[in-house]
Amino acid sequence: MATADDAVAAAPSPLQQALANFNALTSRQKLAMMAALAAAIALAVGVMLWSRTPDYAVLFSNLEEKDGGAIVTALQAQNIPYDIGPGGNTIRVPADRVHDVRLQLAAQGLPRGGMVGFELMENQKLGVSQFHEQINYQRGLEGELARTIQSIAAVAGARVHLAMPKRTAFLRDAKQPTASVFVNLHPGRNLDAAQVAGIVHLVASSVPNMSNDGVSVIDETGKLLTNKSDPLRAAGLDPTQLSYVQELESTYVQRVENILEPLVGKGNFRVQVTADVDFDRIEQTNETYKPNADPTQTAIRSRQESENVTRDPGPEGVPGALTNQPPVPAQAPITNPATAQPGGATDNFQTRNSASTTNYELDKTISHTRRAMGLIKRLSVAVVVNHKTQQDKDGKDIAVPPTDAEIQRINNLVREAVGFNADRGDSLNVAASEFAPEMFQVAPEIPVWKDPEMISIGKEALRYLIVLAVLAFVAFGVIKPLMKSVLPQRTDADDEDEDSAMATSTGEGEEGEDATTSLSAAARLANSYEAKLARARELAQSDPKLVANLIKEWMGVNEEARK
């Protein structure tokens, strides 16, 4: 007698039943099922690839049309995916292949930059005249200089024009070469004076006998960047002076804000600082001599004394020619007696001259003073403090001005923060006033549907929803019906038969050999299957032609249509 376990073991497994059901389908049904399954898988994969944002990186930007076309042709020849950015001057490729593609294009000499350099000299033809060689050399030099200038961060493109006069044997008639440089700057970028001077020095140093004054630089707007006739530059003014003053004032404002913000709160005060900076460059040399305070304490540098004594008589008589002649003998008696000489020497004539020179050391001071540029001559500081908000007895907000003690405390703090110097002429003014209510109004919020960030999030969410919808359609609309048509379906009767089989098996274990066993529905199904199989074998043996025609019908083959 068959038991429930034997009946369950004899029943086919779900996989075997699914294979049997699949084999029972016609060829057209099998092809339709496979096509539907393949279409569903292709649709799911396509939607997933569509939803995936390609990770592209910039390969080259700011390309000229000629270079862009050559690069696109090279990418197409190598089957490399690419994307052209807005404006057509930016090419992007997958991020993981950027460096490889750049090296491959560099091997092909791309991008060329719309200009030629010294590689022009590599393809010289035989028999080229000296004039053509000079022209090619000049073109190559212009291209190399332009490439170097383009490597500056603020420069998007550059061109260099050289005017190189012919050499002459007469030095008087010799002319110096000149250069003109055109720079195309990136939007929002500019060149400061130091960068312009660097470009000028670069070009002048690359061409023999060229001076810095012979180089002119202009930008894309036609503005001359090397304006040597600018009166401000001729006066020695530097554009960086204004930047220095602004930075200095910002530093003082930041100091005051850092010290007042914890006291009155952010937004409850305003600070302005004006700095008068002296940019004069002064060099001064002084040599001072001071009088000697005490002559007895002075040092003698040198002393010189001289004395001259002579015994020759001096000239006598009336001035004239006879004075220098010897006297003639006297013809008349002397009426005037001889006077006695001082000291008893009446016949000795003596002349004495003496001189004395004394040099003293002087109190001498020599000083050389060079004042530094950028000294602060005067500071002007203005501070406005907002009224405080308090509640009255009724609970309403009212504005209360700060007290005099608070104003004085703020005044003292600001003085210390800016380094107030009264001798320098600094001024400080602290005032209290109620601020306008418009300053504290909050800007209106942007609606959610107009917020760019929310719009981006919504687009991303919509993309994922589309993916989920397609996957759900493939799973529940295609795959599940196909599986239902192949896999065996489980019914309530099968559950009841299994329960009865379990109950029968349990009863047999309790009652022993006397218990009666009834076959379940699965056992009956197995039994009927075997019976049907036996009848099919008998039919095949008795009438094989009938069985062959039946199989042909199952296979969808019509012998008459073939004929």
Side-chain angles (χ1 to χ4, degrees):
M1 183 176 292
T3 62
D5 294 336
D6 297 336
V8 173
S13 63
L15 180 60
Q16 294 176 352
Q17 186 66 29
L19 293 176
N21 293 339
F22 181 76
N23 294 329
L25 298 176
T26 63
S27 299
R28 295 179 179 178
Q29 291 176 342
K30 291 179 180 179
L31 291 176
M33 180 181 295
M34 297 300 295
L37 184 60
I41 294 175
L43 179 62
V45 173
V47 172
M48 293 180 64
L49 293 178
W50 168 80
S51 63
R52 180 182 177 183
T53 303
D55 188 11
Y56 278 84
V58 176
L59 179 64
F60 294 110
S61 60
N62 299 321
L63 292 172
E64 296 186 0
E65 295 181 356
K66 185 176 180 180
D67 285 339
I71 291 174
V72 168
T73 302
L75 294 178
Q76 292 176 352
Q78 300 177 14
N79 294 326
I80 299 175
Y82 65 90
D83 181 22
I84 299 178
N89 57 356
T90 302
I91 298 178
R92 298 180 295 180
V93 296
D96 56 344
R97 303 188 62 181
V98 170
H99 303 290
D100 296 337
V101 174
R102 284 180 180 174
L103 293 177
Q104 295 175 7
L105 295 177
Q108 303 177 17
L110 296 175
R112 297 183 178 89
M115 62 187 69
V116 293
F118 281 133
E119 67 271 9
L120 185 64
M121 308 296 294
E122 299 176 357
N123 301 322
Q124 288 287 349
K125 297 180 180 180
L126 186 62
V128 177
S129 63
Q130 184 180 2
F131 175 76
H132 284 85
E133 288 182 352
Q134 181 64 26
I135 292 299
N136 290 337
Y137 171 76
Q138 183 173 339
R139 290 181 57 194
L141 183 58
E142 291 175 351
E144 293 296 334
L145 288 174
R147 289 175 180 175
T148 306
I149 295 173
Q150 283 182 1
S151 58
I152 300 176
V155 178
R159 294 196 66 182
V160 179
H161 303 280
L162 298 178
M164 304 177 67
K166 295 182 180 180
R167 294 183 179 180
T168 177
F170 301 98
L171 298 177
R172 183 180 300 175
D173 298 334
K175 296 182 180 179
Q176 299 296 329
T178 58
S180 299
V181 181
F182 172 80
V183 291
N184 185 16
L185 304 179
H186 289 289
R189 306 291 294 274
N190 56 2
L191 294 175
D192 56 18
Q195 291 174 320
V196 174
I199 294 175
V200 171
H201 187 72
L202 170 69
V203 176
S205 301
S206 302
V207 181
N209 299 326
M210 180 178 290
S211 61
N212 293 344
D213 296 335
V215 181
S216 300
V217 182
I218 63 173
D219 60 5
E220 70 278 4
T221 62
K223 180 182 178 182
L224 183 61
L225 302 181
T226 55
N227 189 3
K228 305 177 183 61
S229 61
D230 190 356
L232 296 180
R233 293 185 179 274
L237 294 179
D238 192 348
T240 58
Q241 293 179 359
L242 180 59
S243 301
Y244 172 76
V245 174
Q246 292 176 350
E247 183 180 356
L248 185 64
E249 293 174 351
S250 300
T251 302
Y252 282 111
V253 170
Q254 187 64 35
R255 290 181 182 179
V256 177
E257 289 180 351
N258 291 340
I259 200 170
L260 291 184
E261 187 172 339
L263 296 179
V264 298
K266 185 176 181 180
N268 289 323
F269 64 93
R270 291 292 183 271
V271 181
Q272 288 294 331
V273 177
T274 302
D276 185 6
V277 183
D278 185 9
F279 291 102
D280 294 338
R281 183 176 299 172
I282 300 176
E283 294 186 6
Q284 185 178 3
T285 303
N286 295 328
E287 186 173 352
T288 306
Y289 296 91
K290 295 182 179 179
N292 295 324
D294 187 2
T296 61
Q297 300 295 330
T298 58
I300 298 175
R301 176 190 296 179
S302 62
R303 175 179 294 176
Q304 182 178 2
E305 296 180 355
S306 63
E307 184 176 0
N308 187 12
V309 178
T310 60
R311 297 183 179 274
D312 297 333
E316 297 178 358
V318 179
L322 298 178
T323 306
N324 298 325
Q325 296 178 0
V328 297
Q331 298 294 331
I334 299 174
T335 57
N336 294 326
T339 58
Q341 297 293 333
T346 58
D347 295 335
N348 296 330
F349 298 92
Q350 184 178 2
T351 302
R352 184 184 299 272
N353 294 324
S354 62
S356 177
T357 302
T358 304
N359 295 324
Y360 296 94
E361 292 290 350
L362 300 179
D363 190 359
K364 179 181 177 181
T365 303
I366 299 176
S367 62
H368 181 80
T369 304
R370 182 177 181 179
R371 296 179 56 186
M373 297 177 59
L375 296 178
I376 299 176
K377 297 169 60 177
R378 185 174 180 271
L379 280 180
S380 300
V381 184
V383 180
V384 180
V385 182
N386 188 24
H387 288 180
K388 296 183 296 184
T389 302
Q390 296 181 356
Q391 292 183 351
D392 57 2
K393 297 180 180 179
D394 299 333
K396 296 181 180 180
D397 293 337
I398 58 175
V400 179
T403 62
D404 295 339
E406 294 175 344
I407 294 294
Q408 185 62 33
R409 183 176 59 177
I410 293 174
N411 192 314
N412 296 335
L413 291 175
V414 174
R415 283 174 177 267
E416 297 297 331
V418 300
F420 186 85
N421 188 355
D423 298 336
R424 192 172 54 187
D426 295 351
S427 62
L428 172 62
N429 189 3
V430 179
S433 178
E434 185 177 1
F435 287 179
E438 289 79 6
M439 294 185 58
F440 302 96
Q441 289 182 355
V442 181
E445 296 183 358
I446 302 176
V448 178
W449 59 88
K450 293 184 179 180
D451 190 358
E453 185 176 357
M454 296 303 298
I455 292 175
S456 177
I457 295 175
K459 289 181 179 180
E460 193 71 17
L462 180 61
R463 180 181 300 162
Y464 286 109
L465 287 176
I466 293 175
V467 174
L468 292 177
V470 172
L471 294 178
F473 171 75
V474 171
F476 297 102
V478 179
I479 297 178
K480 187 175 182 180
L482 293 177
M483 299 301 295
K484 283 184 178 180
S485 62
V486 175
L487 295 177
Q489 301 297 322
R490 187 179 184 88
T491 60
D492 297 338
D494 296 337
D495 297 337
E496 293 177 358
D497 294 339
E498 289 182 1
D499 294 340
S500 61
M502 292 294 294
T504 304
S505 176
T506 304
E508 181 180 359
E510 293 176 356
E511 297 177 6
E513 298 179 356
D514 297 337
T516 59
T517 304
S518 60
L519 296 177
S520 63
R524 290 194 300 271
L525 179 61
N527 192 14
S528 61
Y529 175 75
E530 293 177 356
K532 292 179 180 180
L533 183 59
R535 288 196 299 270
R537 290 176 180 174
E538 293 176 359
L539 182 61
Q541 293 177 358
S542 61
D543 193 356
K545 186 176 181 180
L546 178 64
V547 175
N549 292 334
L550 181 61
I551 293 175
K552 289 180 180 180
E553 290 294 333
W554 287 351
M555 297 297 294
V557 179
N558 192 349
E559 187 176 358
E560 296 179 357
R562 181 178 299 178
K563 293 180 180 180

